[in-house]
Amino acid sequence: MTEANRREKIRILHIIQSKGGVQRYIRSFLKYIDHNKFYNIIVCSQDYKSDDYVDLADEFETVTMVRDIDIKADISAIFTIRKLIKKYHSDILYCHSSKAGAIGRIAALGMKNKCIYNPHGWAFNMNCSNKKKKLYAIIERMLARMTDRIVCISKAEQESALDKRICKKEKTVVIYNGIDFEEYENSQGELTRETAGIKKNAFVVGFVGRLSEQKSPDIFAKTAVLIKHKIPNAFFLMVGDGELRSEVEKIFKDNGMEQSYLITGWVNNPMTFIQLFDIATLLSRWEGFGLVLAEYMLAGKPIVASDVDAIPNIIENEINGLVSELNEEEISENVFSLYRDSSLREKLCSNGKKIVRERYDVRRVVAEHTELFIETLNFTHKAQYGVGGKKD
């Protein structure tokens, strides 16, 4: 594509560091955004593969970014990203997640582009020391001054930002997450229990997410031990990977459950595995939204979840799921209740399917972002690109 053609579109430079739900969010977002009006440049960490973005992104750049604070690596990433911002003359810098948000906004200091930030879950809500939480809040407060708009993926995220005085309410916009219905419908029948190595009569309790502290895979494994005592044919399917994988595997093995679990590692389409679940779980210690909850509802699966942060915004107890404190006994009892009560399972699944169709379509997410992009740019810029106004 020529430079002249590129300049006929609004150029969005996305900066992304973390995988998991953020990656699924980005792929769905790029699939449905209007490519006749927007030119999308992906600047991402080494965890991403360019092959996954063919026909989705107009440009793809890899920058070494690490999850934890590393002064040397972070400074290097900042300078590299600054060069890329200049190279592509982006109109809007869209930073996804806290680490990319910090690196991207610092890299853009003094640049003319507008800056939008989506934390995908605030760092100061993590399960860490009060000292760290205060530090993260201070950093977010400072960086908010360099930001034109902050996208909160749930009402709980917005309330948390206001509670920590990150910015004024007017700078925030709530755009609830959404999922790609078409992707799920096209994945039907691609995978069976037989091909996945799961017995046909197994009662499958599922988990989708990064095997990290946030998603509590350790709690899932400990709960699985309790469930196995009550449901002998229970099988535990974990879709994802992460730094706690060895710890999780040890819990299963120490309890003689080597034949009762499967960890898939990272997969491109977790929806194919969700089809195999009898019960779906999200046991987060903190959560900005929980994109997988919408995927569970779309797949018609009864949900057992922890009652933290944004999850109660999405799952109402005994309406479209069962929620409780992050406690192995309570979680296992909720699973056992669903195992015994088919009418309750059917009720939760029916309500979930209706709710997800009404509220969590990714096309709605893209439409709301399109309005945000246009609003963030000034009128002269909009008219220049033929978006939201007419050329003179």
Side-chain angles (χ1 to χ4, degrees):
M1 181 176 287
T2 66
E3 179 64 21
N5 288 335
R6 280 199 293 268
R7 292 203 64 85
E8 291 175 359
K9 303 179 182 182
I10 293 175
R11 285 153 292 155
I12 315 292
L13 192 148
H14 301 266
I15 300 181
I16 318 158
Q17 181 272 319
S18 59
K19 278 189 75 172
V22 176
Q23 179 167 234
R24 299 204 304 280
Y25 179 96
I26 291 293
R27 282 175 53 83
S28 297
F29 183 91
L30 294 176
K31 179 179 176 179
Y32 290 104
I33 196 168
D34 187 344
H35 290 270
N36 291 317
K37 291 182 178 178
F38 296 98
Y39 190 84
N40 292 278
I41 304 111
I42 298 296
V43 176
C44 56
S45 72
Q46 62 280 4
D47 293 331
Y48 285 70
K49 298 177 181 178
S50 60
D51 289 348
D52 294 335
Y53 292 86
V54 174
D55 298 327
L56 291 177
D58 297 287
E59 305 284 353
F60 185 94
E61 300 276 1
T62 301
V63 176
T64 301
M65 288 185 270
V66 295
R67 189 178 183 88
D68 298 321
I69 295 175
D70 183 319
I71 301 299
K72 184 177 179 180
D74 293 345
I75 290 175
S76 176
I78 287 168
F79 278 104
T80 302
I81 289 172
R82 188 172 180 85
K83 291 178 182 177
L84 292 172
I85 295 172
K86 292 178 179 178
K87 174 182 176 180
Y88 290 108
H89 304 288
S90 60
D91 300 303
I92 294 176
L93 182 69
Y94 193 0
C95 301
H96 301 268
S97 76
S98 56
K99 187 59 181 284
I103 290 174
R105 286 179 287 179
I106 293 172
L109 276 172
M111 301 287 193
K112 293 182 179 180
N113 54 259
K114 299 291 184 178
C115 185
I116 296 174
Y117 170 50
N118 186 337
H120 293 277
W122 293 107
F124 51 73
N125 284 336
M126 295 192 306
N127 187 29
C128 57
S129 67
N130 288 331
K131 184 177 180 180
K132 278 191 174 182
K133 289 182 179 182
K134 288 179 181 178
L135 175 62
Y136 292 145
I138 290 170
I139 292 172
E140 291 288 4
R141 212 172 289 139
M142 293 172 60
L143 292 174
R145 298 173 183 174
M146 312 172 193
T147 314
D148 293 283
R149 299 302 298 273
I150 295 176
V151 176
C152 299
I153 55 178
S154 69
K155 190 70 175 175
E157 282 291 279
Q158 184 189 52
E159 291 170 354
S160 186
L162 300 179
D163 179 63
K164 291 293 191 296
R165 296 178 290 108
I166 302 304
C167 62
K168 292 183 178 180
K169 186 176 183 179
E170 292 72 25
K171 184 169 280 192
T172 67
V173 56
V174 177
I175 301 180
Y176 275 87
N177 266 356
I179 58 173
D180 184 0
F181 295 165
E182 183 181 271
E183 181 179 343
Y184 173 71
E185 290 161 356
N186 290 340
S187 69
Q188 294 290 324
E190 291 181 1
L191 183 70
T192 66
R193 289 191 176 189
E194 182 180 6
T195 56
I198 302 171
K199 292 181 179 179
K200 190 174 181 179
N201 69 336
F203 186 78
V204 180
V205 181
F207 167 108
V208 176
R210 186 179 183 87
L211 304 188
S212 63
E213 183 185 12
Q214 180 192 0
K215 303 299 182 180
S216 306
D218 53 328
I219 299 295
F220 178 85
K222 291 174 184 177
T223 303
V225 176
L226 300 179
I227 294 170
K228 190 68 175 177
H229 289 314
K230 296 181 178 181
I231 309 174
N233 65 325
F235 187 90
F236 304 93
L237 178 54
M238 305 185 74
V239 183
D241 211 337
E243 57 270 22
L244 295 186
R245 179 168 182 161
S246 59
E247 179 180 335
V248 170
E249 291 177 329
K250 186 175 187 303
I251 293 170
F252 282 119
K253 292 174 183 176
D254 286 351
N255 287 277
M257 294 172 60
E258 293 93 334
Q259 305 303 315
S260 298
Y261 82 99
L262 170 65
I263 299 177
T264 66
W266 291 117
V267 299
N268 287 331
N269 188 0
M271 296 294 275
T272 59
F273 286 90
I274 291 172
Q275 296 176 62
L276 308 182
F277 295 179
D278 289 298
I279 290 178
T281 67
L282 181 65
L283 309 178
S284 301
R285 288 182 166 95
W286 66 91
E287 192 61 69
F289 179 87
L291 191 65
V292 75
L293 292 173
E295 294 175 331
Y296 290 162
M297 286 189 281
L298 184 63
K301 303 301 176 182
I303 297 168
V304 171
S306 54
D307 187 9
V308 300
D309 297 336
I311 292 178
N313 290 171
I314 318 302
I315 303 298
E316 187 176 351
N317 193 42
E318 298 187 0
I319 300 299
N320 60 330
L322 298 181
V323 296
S324 70
E325 293 185 4
L326 193 59
N327 174 284
E328 291 99 320
E329 291 285 351
E330 291 186 32
I331 296 165
S332 65
E333 186 54 43
N334 278 345
V335 170
F336 192 52
S337 295
L338 290 172
Y339 172 76
R340 291 178 301 181
D341 192 341
S342 60
S343 62
L344 177 58
R345 292 201 306 270
E346 290 172 5
K347 171 190 169 183
L348 300 184
C349 294
S350 176
N351 290 340
K353 284 182 176 180
K354 181 180 179 182
I355 288 169
V356 74
R357 291 284 179 182
E358 290 175 349
R359 304 177 188 174
Y360 302 118
D361 188 341
V362 73
R363 292 178 176 86
R364 184 265 308 156
V365 178
V366 172
E368 291 180 14
H369 270 87
T370 298
E371 291 181 11
L372 175 64
F373 294 153
I374 293 171
E375 176 190 316
T376 302
L377 296 170
N378 60 47
F379 181 80
T380 301
H381 198 140
K382 287 185 285 184
Q384 177 185 351
Y385 289 94
V387 180
K390 296 180 179 179
K391 293 181 180 180
D392 293 333

